[in-house]
Amino acid sequence: MSDSPSRLDAFDAYRSRMNARILDEGTHLGIKRFFNLDTAAYRDGALDTKTKELLGLVASMVLRCNDCIDYHIEQCTEAGWTEAELEDAMNVALVVGGSIVIPHLRHAVETVDLMREREGGASE
Amino acid sequence: MSDSPSRLDAFDAYRSRMNARILDEGTHLGIKRFFNLDTAAYRDGALDTKTKELLGLVASMVLRCNDCIDYHIEQCTEAGWTEAELEDAMNVALVVGGSIVIPHLRHAVETVDLMREREGGASE
Amino acid sequence: MSDSPSRLDAFDAYRSRMNARILDEGTHLGIKRFFNLDTAAYRDGALDTKTKELLGLVASMVLRCNDCIDYHIEQCTEAGWTEAELEDAMNVALVVGGSIVIPHLRHAVETVDLMREREGGASE
Amino acid sequence: MSDSPSRLDAFDAYRSRMNARILDEGTHLGIKRFFNLDTAAYRDGALDTKTKELLGLVASMVLRCNDCIDYHIEQCTEAGWTEAELEDAMNVALVVGGSIVIPHLRHAVETVDLMREREGGASE
Amino acid sequence: MSDSPSRLDAFDAYRSRMNARILDEGTHLGIKRFFNLDTAAYRDGALDTKTKELLGLVASMVLRCNDCIDYHIEQCTEAGWTEAELEDAMNVALVVGGSIVIPHLRHAVETVDLMREREGGASE
Amino acid sequence: MSDSPSRLDAFDAYRSRMNARILDEGTHLGIKRFFNLDTAAYRDGALDTKTKELLGLVASMVLRCNDCIDYHIEQCTEAGWTEAELEDAMNVALVVGGSIVIPHLRHAVETVDLMREREGGASE
């Protein structure tokens, strides 16, 4: 059993700890409302959550934010997108954003692999 | 009959003229191949064209490119996305990209209105 | 009397018309809430409105959005910042954002001049 | 006593070492002049240093540069901005720059906490 | 004789007028020094002016600033780069920056055509 | 002998491993074609490889991607650019992109130093 999912686990732990710091200990109403609005943006509406999470992933890739990419890959996987579908979305992000996106494509592909391992689907 | 679709018509004409200039008169193989790759990225694959065009729209909005927004709204409309669905995608782009996206949201909403007029669906 | 403020007037009219289109005719709750949150972010809080509008101006300049620059220059002028103070803030934006900001600095300086003319303070 | 300020200390040491490498060992006049211009931009002028450092912080957040954020938080703290004021400025950056700024907001809030610890002002 | 170079002429005139406004009427020393530093960066040094102007063009394209693109195409043409060489540099910018650069590629190609016309080389 | 080149070696190993993962194990034709197009963009054409690698370096710096900077510094060094020439190109990137580029300038200068050490040219 590889310990490779540890990068993802560390990210999840840091994200949870700092979100708690910001939302529970923090007192700025505007910031809390922004987090609520952010969460609400991905809820079922005219578009369903599944579609919106894929939009979030592509937006994160063209804006080149690895933490955002990891978060949306987790959400996309949970929402039911397959690896082939995620890869096809990443291709759109790559073409729109150009080769400057490639380091983030590497990160994203690695994250997809780590997600599969974490879920026990790893065969190696 | 309003002449308000003229902004869209002017964009389409300019886009067609310059693409012909680049692809027909131009001789750079790399540039032509990039345009082919760009077109191919939105063809049915693991994801269908309809979904990919919506990804293209959100990517264009967070990267704040009005010409790209207009192009993808045209493609999204043709692919069958409703105005409510486009608006829901724009909301994701707005939350991801922030208030700096608002001028492009104004542009995008105006383009959706112009598309409806152009297609004769305007009731006013 | 020069008609040079017309660029600013046209921007204000377009902005008002499209905001009404989005907020009054539009039905997307998330988008409306984002606009509210945006407005609220510049209200007196730990920092006063005047300071926050200057932050908004510099953010708009380094992100290179002319419409946002015009809006925040209007707000900054109303909040009481002098031309020399605005210029000093623009210098910070120029140094942080680099020469790619220069076209937007030209736009911003022109907007400050148009604001002065519009307010009848022009001596030339 | 926690060793958590180590991230800040490591950043300060790296920043000092590389600045010395660039400015003392380096010979490019243009680069040296740029560093001088950058330093000068935050000196008292029409705006005071304190205000300009806050502008620098917000510019760094919307441009999403963690090193720049850390540097300006250090300068802002030294200039006398309180944590509540910094948080209010961060909220402006969050609204302007959108959810893509959130990972940098987490970093910034952590840096503010590390600054407080480093200064021995932690009461918890 | 076509009047198509008018877009370039209008840009040159606006650029000259606003630079004079900023540098001659303006009083901010930091801004003036930045303009000097910007000019100096393209002077012969370890690299010659010709090479640096091509760097400036590619930087302007990936950062997607049409005014900067026009300026550097003018400088590159004056420095002796051929159209085929400019096109090859634009291809690098396109691949690095992605399809979001395409509207700026259209603009750049049009500017190269306008430059040729302006210089009397137009055969149509 | 210092082990400082290890950052570069780790980057090279990660880059090779993930590129193999994407290109050998991956099945997405569009992504593979993009990688081919990216490689082809730097081959001798109207401009030679050496010039194009310098364009790639400056594009990477103004877009602020450390992995891309490292890759292009490696390629530029192999193509024969001297340290003084690389530094002059970095100065163009710094002026175009502003002080937000400084952390990436630090990284780039460190990478140039690591390259020299790796090649056994280190005298310390």
Side-chain angles (χ1 to χ4, degrees), chain C residues 34-47:
Chain C
F34 191 97
F35 274 69
N36 284 338
L37 208 54
D38 181 31
T39 302
Y42 297 93
R43 290 215 187 93
D44 284 341
L47 298 170

Side-chain angles (χ1 to χ4, degrees), chain A residues 63, chain B residues 61-66 93-94 96-106, chain C residues 34 38 42 56-69 72, chain D residues 62 92-98 100:
Chain A
L63 290 174
Chain B
M61 288 191 73
V62 298
L63 289 174
R64 301 188 281 126
C65 172
N66 280 349
L94 178 63
V96 173
S99 70
I100 207 78
V101 169
I102 288 180
H104 305 275
L105 175 69
R106 286 188 198 112
Chain C
F34 191 97
D38 181 31
Y42 297 93
L57 175 59
V58 167
S60 300
M61 288 191 73
V62 299
L63 289 174
R64 303 188 282 127
C65 172
N66 280 349
D67 281 4
C68 309
I69 288 170
H72 284 293
Chain D
V62 297
V92 172
L94 178 62
V95 168
V96 173
I100 208 79

Side-chain angles (χ1 to χ4, degrees), chain A:
Chain A
M1 198 55 157
S2 154
D3 66 346
S4 26
S6 61
R7 168 166 76 70
L8 269 188
D9 292 342
F11 164 68
D12 289 346
Y14 177 78
R15 185 177 170 278
S16 294
R17 179 166 62 84
M18 290 311 301
N19 279 8
R21 165 66 185 82
I22 291 168
L23 299 176
D24 299 344
E25 296 178 45
T27 58
H28 197 290
L29 203 56
I31 292 176
K32 295 183 185 199
R33 282 183 176 151
F34 191 96
F35 274 69
N36 284 338
L37 208 54
D38 182 30
T39 303
Y42 297 92
R43 290 215 187 93
D44 285 340
L47 298 170
D48 59 16
T49 291
K50 187 178 175 184
T51 302
K52 290 179 175 184
E53 284 296 342
L54 203 67
L55 298 175
L57 174 60
V58 167
S60 299
M61 289 192 72
V62 298
L63 290 174
R64 302 188 281 127
C65 172
N66 279 350
D67 282 4
C68 308
I69 289 171
D70 286 350
Y71 174 72
H72 284 292
I73 286 179
E74 292 178 348
Q75 298 304 112
C76 281
T77 302
E78 191 170 317
W81 291 110
T82 66
E83 292 191 20
E85 288 164 335
L86 291 180
E87 198 174 26
D88 210 15
M90 289 176 192
N91 181 53
V92 172
L94 179 62
V95 168
V96 173
S99 70
I100 207 79
V101 170
I102 287 179
H104 305 276
L105 175 69
R106 287 188 197 110
H107 183 88
V109 167
E110 189 184 56
T111 298
V112 169
D113 288 348
L114 293 176
M115 287 292 294
R116 195 190 324 111
E117 284 186 54
R118 182 199 264 178
E119 288 161 19
S123 56
E124 48 187 344

